[in-house]
């Protein structure tokens, strides 16, 4: 069994990782690090895992414990992985990071979007961007993967094949997206209070949301990205607009691009976020509006699945030579 | 007291109209027409109105009953008002229509977007478009008002002042909007089933939603409109994108445009649909993204309030020389 | 105009009070005290009130400001009113308290249920319990009213008339109730996080919830009360069980008891909490189960309306000789 | 591979069965019967299964197709299994029925609660009641299992061990329960419309809900059962009240009763329905209220999991000699 250490195990992504690992035929949890909950039993924070982890407790951060791990999964706030890099990046241990620290291509880009200097620019080149649909071979060969953000996963799946075949102009892309509240993490504040979100819908992070950087990276274009918060626990829908370069059918392009992909479904119908709940699936569609010369392309995922924990496991499976879909499902819990 | 007849009184808009009229100092319900529920008590369909209308029952359609009315409010499926025009449009009686029949400027436009010939093109010119913020004086002078659709109300409030001062290009406008489920009406089907909508989010009506026609009418531009269904009973948020013509601050433009408007609030914060619940208010903001040369402007309303029944009452108040805000509120029921 | 000071104005009840007062023909806000938000504009905390209170700011607590008030409404955590009693209880000023401090009949009862000594037992007798349907005349004559808790309002309305006519046994009453999240207040914590509540349902406060004391007070019986948290912002449904004493029709008893009551509706149908949203209405029904000898009686209210702010205004209207229903509505915002 | 035929495959339970079978190591779908959707692809009704069943279509009812099945799972309206019994009950084929037809112990009981004569009383004795926690050995030996209703599963798990040890009186049990909307099935009507349920809570089926019969069967007592509809797609919480016979700790009794049970968790905390979403788990707690002499015991399950499809698969696994937990999970998708 591959022994897995999780950093940030008490968060929503941490809980999802522990759920997936409990069902994984070849992985088991070695240590669940969660400093603020150290010593507490898993079920006190993740009650839905009470039967799967009846005895395990969260551990305080202690790099010495990593020596027993074959795989390290980090779901930490951005900046943390840079700081802990010397502890985390042993040569022989596979590492998948969900933070933003090693996603971008240069320290300058990181500083531009995150407003702080990158502490370990020397390590940037050693990471692979963890979107298997575009970088599967690189991930297989890599020991260090930076898994994409949830919004960029959806937007990139919807847009990149259309960019690659030249069906859309790279400049002036608009990504209008909605996310479930778990994307904001487990922190309780006025914005995540039930009464604020329930029955409501709002935009946030206007103009400069940091995930824009990854969308520009995977599309090679300029993107204006507007995230919205929706009244759901999970799910992301990205509705993307771009100027059409020609009159190719974007649905056919997406179908070609994703033929054989185990976790991507391209269909006629506008996808619903709930189809993907609890799964690693992505549901896509696209249309060309000849009247305005605009191409609309949409993707729905579970932000904690394909947008976070599912994708991390998918990457880890590839890195470790396992079945790419081990412990992952294409089927959402619906309704 | 002004005696009001309502057509389509058993629908969601009908219920909201009856709620507003029950609180109106100068109006009372004369007849609540609802053919499919004729003879049933109001409370059997609108239980929240049980104390306000303890005895009233819905009436079957009977144009003779209109002779006792000073105001007719129609919340019918499109096409119905054309058909009933001879009965509804007595010279002396104020009429506000929420259907699409008399919103557009020409029979050709109607046929283009609604796919059927207009039965009464002769009457089109006699109607005023019922958006008081832009056509207040015309509405005051009019006996026939076609109240806007819910999405166009939000999009027009967000966009039109920016078009008028030339801050945005008229071509290539994108309106990405989300609506609560009451916008789909009271009909029960797979799409409005609780389990379909709960915890989910999806686009629908891609490329050719009929409300596009009104958005192009009020902005004079070309619009690509994508509506979404959100997990809320009420509310519309329109997030609108347009190419900026210059570098004017769109927030200042909106503040100027709506100074003194009783139901429009322009603020710094991205608005939330729930702020408007149960009210006639609209909450707006806007930003210029210099990086991509795009202007983003947003409006939140209650689709049944400013997007339907509230706006109808606001128009009727103007037409009848009453206080424009009678029975209307600027305050949502929140949280 | 009656000048009203509000303590706890930044909470959910405070916001509802300000909403109701803005629509009140004879009241206006004198001072909105909210220490933690002192100096901030109302709209920064209550964005739905932005158009109604464009300039007002919250004030820090300063008893000197009360000298300009004709009415004081307190929506504070329990214990606070005792502490501030000397400042709040000027002889000539009407005072309505939503805290628990002066609801119970004796200091011993308070200590039993709240686990702390009552600081001002001398004042307990000077307060009237603010349930107009049972104590209307006393409220009219009183200068100090302790408004009931949200759960006791619902349970008392459902049970008390049945106790009074002897239709049920006083011992062994069970109250099983569900509340919207606003009942837990504005505080953000794990229990009020959207992701915790969304799509879920749970009991809390098993066996010893403090509101039990009021239920036993108004029914004169012994009550086992189990509150639940439901995925709604507003609303309380109390489903109450008691052993039937005879075979009287409980629906007829309730109809008799509430005939003429402006805010209570007794009907055949099991009530839904949403019917009452944003209103001061209560919807009741009851059934006798001859098979098991049990009587089931249900009440639905808005916890912030009839369960809090609405009831406070209803009491204040009575105390001040105003129309009992001024600024209140019987009609929920529905759907 | 065990070949499984499903009747009622287009409903919510049908979809859940197909989801579970797609992940089952030893089962595969032979035929998915769904008369009203015959000929349509699975994904047109269950879009979340699009990647798992890309080609399969629903079949019209044709008993000849059953000859290729090793297991038949029926999720039909009550009455249907009686009617189809001759086709469904081949001697050698395992059969699990989710309908009510063969759950009760006698034709008289069926007629009493369902208001119609039982068409096949001769078959009643041949069925085993499918609650593995109480009847595991009988299920293993049986070829015909009647899986319990969703409410009775929750209530029986919470109550039966307490009855068995004599901790509660059998008479006067009250079961107050809440269910997600999927329990009402896929039919669209006013009661399942999103706008009706969203943000609301109501009781239904007062006094005589048919599931009472099963609760009385498994507890041997008299039960008054009040179901409620909550604003969630999935989940059941049963809050059960009974007079305590003594002062035993009910939590210890439940822990003893369920020690070693793979899908039952007994804990200190009141359980939340969402913990179980998508799983076959049941979460229980119980308390003795010495003040009123009442015992409160609660159970949370997923109505489509342990309350329907999960339990059917659990029974089938037992009947067929497979691992009892194959394709089932104890972990809900949370949050």
């Amino acid at each position: 069994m591959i022994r897995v250490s999780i950093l940030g195990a008490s968060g929503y992504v941490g809980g999802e990782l522990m759920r997936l690992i409990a069902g994984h035929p070849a992985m088991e949890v070695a240590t669940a690090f969660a400093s603020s909950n150290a010593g507490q039993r898993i079920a006190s924070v993740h009650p839905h895992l009470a039967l799967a982890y009846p005895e395990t407790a969260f551990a305080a951060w202690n790099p010495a414990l990593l020596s027993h791990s074959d795989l390290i999964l980090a779901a930490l706030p951005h900046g943390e992985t840079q700081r802990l890099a010397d502890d985390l990046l042993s040569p022989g241990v596979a590492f998948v990071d969900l933070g933003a620290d090693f996603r971008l291509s240069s320290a300058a880009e990181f500083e531009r979007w995150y407003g702080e200097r990158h502490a370990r620019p020397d390590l940037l080149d050693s990471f692979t961007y963890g979107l298997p649909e575009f970088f599967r071979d690189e991930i297989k060969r890599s020991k260090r993967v930076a898994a994409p953000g949830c919004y960029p996963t959806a937007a990139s799946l919807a847009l990149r094949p259309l960019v690659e075949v030249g069906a859309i102009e790279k400049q002036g892309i608009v990504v209008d997206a909605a996310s479930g509240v778990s994307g904001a993490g487990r922190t309780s504040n006025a914005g995540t209070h039930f009464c604020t979100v329930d029955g409501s819908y709002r935009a946030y992070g206007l103009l400069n949301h940091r995930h824009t950087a990854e969308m520009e990276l995977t599309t090679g274009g300029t993107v204006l990205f507007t995230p919205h918060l929706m009244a759901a626990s999970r799910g992301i829908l990205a509705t993307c607009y771009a100027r059409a370069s020609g009159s190719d059918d974007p649905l056919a392009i997406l179908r070609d691009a994703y033929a054989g992909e185990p976790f991507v479904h391209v269909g006629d119908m506008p996808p619903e976020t709930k189809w993907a709940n609890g799964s690693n699936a992505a549901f896509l569609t696209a249309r060309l509006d000849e009247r305005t010369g605009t191409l609309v392309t949409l993707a729905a995922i579970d932000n904690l699945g394909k947008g976070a924990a599912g994708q991390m496991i998918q990457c880890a499976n590839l890195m470790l030579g396992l079945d790419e879909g081990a412990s992952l499902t294409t089927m959402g819990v619906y309704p």
Side-chain angles (χ1 to χ4, degrees), chain A:
Chain A
M1 295 291 275
I2 290 157
R3 293 179 58 77
V4 187
S5 283
I6 301 169
L7 284 80
S10 63
Y12 287 141
V13 175
E16 192 76 349
L17 286 169
M18 296 191 71
R19 185 173 74 85
L20 294 174
I21 293 170
H24 198 295
M27 292 185 184
E28 64 184 1
V29 170
T31 311
F33 292 106
S35 297
S36 56
N37 300 92
Q40 296 178 30
R41 287 190 313 122
I42 302 296
S44 70
V45 173
H46 301 306
H48 61 302
L49 305 181
L51 284 160
Y53 296 93
E55 304 297 338
T56 322
F58 293 110
W61 172 238
N62 176 359
L65 295 175
L66 293 177
S67 61
H68 308 294
S69 301
D70 309 302
L71 170 66
I72 301 172
L73 303 174
L76 297 170
H78 84 265
E80 290 297 298
T81 310
Q82 293 172 51
R83 201 170 57 78
L84 304 174
D86 287 335
D87 290 323
L88 294 173
L89 302 179
S90 336
V93 179
F95 176 68
V96 183
D97 187 15
L98 191 66
D101 300 34
F102 297 101
R103 288 178 189 154
L104 303 186
S105 52
S106 74
E109 275 292 286
F110 183 85
E111 186 168 344
R112 177 182 168 209
W113 288 97
Y114 288 83
E116 57 197 67
R117 293 199 58 171
H118 201 292
R120 298 301 301 271
D122 57 307
L123 296 171
L124 276 167
D125 281 351
S126 70
F127 275 80
T128 301
Y129 193 67
L131 242 178
E133 285 73 15
F134 304 133
F135 308 106
R136 182 171 283 115
D137 290 341
E138 294 88 330
I139 294 166
K140 282 183 183 173
R141 290 192 302 264
S142 181
K143 278 297 185 189
R144 299 173 185 172
V145 164
C150 47
Y151 284 120
T153 296
S156 301
L157 289 172
L159 285 163
R160 187 176 158 103
L162 300 165
V163 171
E164 287 193 330
V165 302
I168 56 176
E169 295 180 23
K170 291 183 180 182
Q171 308 306 312
I173 295 171
V174 166
V175 175
D176 189 288
S179 172
V181 184
S182 61
R186 196 157 201 148
T187 308
S188 299
N189 55 41
T192 59
H193 193 292
F194 180 83
C195 293
T196 305
V197 180
D198 169 52
S200 202
Y201 189 72
R202 74 163 196 269
Y204 66 96
L206 293 185
L207 308 189
N208 296 307
H209 191 283
R210 289 159 170 183
H211 281 181
T212 308
E214 291 174 63
M215 295 179 194
E216 298 199 336
L217 184 75
T218 60
T219 62
T222 59
V223 175
L224 174 57
F225 166 49
T226 309
H228 296 74
L229 192 72
M230 66 176 178
S233 293
R234 290 171 177 246
I236 280 184
L237 183 73
T239 304
C240 312
Y241 304 88
R243 284 194 282 280
S245 305
S247 59
D248 291 336
D249 174 17
L251 202 57
I253 295 167
L254 292 180
R255 284 197 164 116
D256 278 358
Y258 295 114
E261 278 296 340
F263 292 106
V264 181
H265 182 266
V266 181
D268 293 311
M269 303 259 296
E272 310 186 11
T273 59
K274 199 175 180 177
W275 298 351
N277 264 21
S279 85
N280 198 50
F283 293 91
L284 277 66
T285 199
R287 303 274 174 95
L288 170 63
D289 184 37
E290 297 193 355
R291 192 174 64 84
T292 62
T294 311
L295 197 146
V296 188
T297 178
L298 302 100
I301 61 169
D302 180 343
N303 61 301
L304 294 179
K306 184 66 181 166
Q311 189 143 266
M312 293 172 80
I313 297 292
Q314 188 179 3
C315 289
N317 285 339
L318 289 168
M319 296 162 78
L320 296 163
L322 306 172
D323 171 11
E324 181 177 346
S327 97
L328 302 173
T329 175
T330 63
M331 301 177 289
V333 170
Y334 183 94

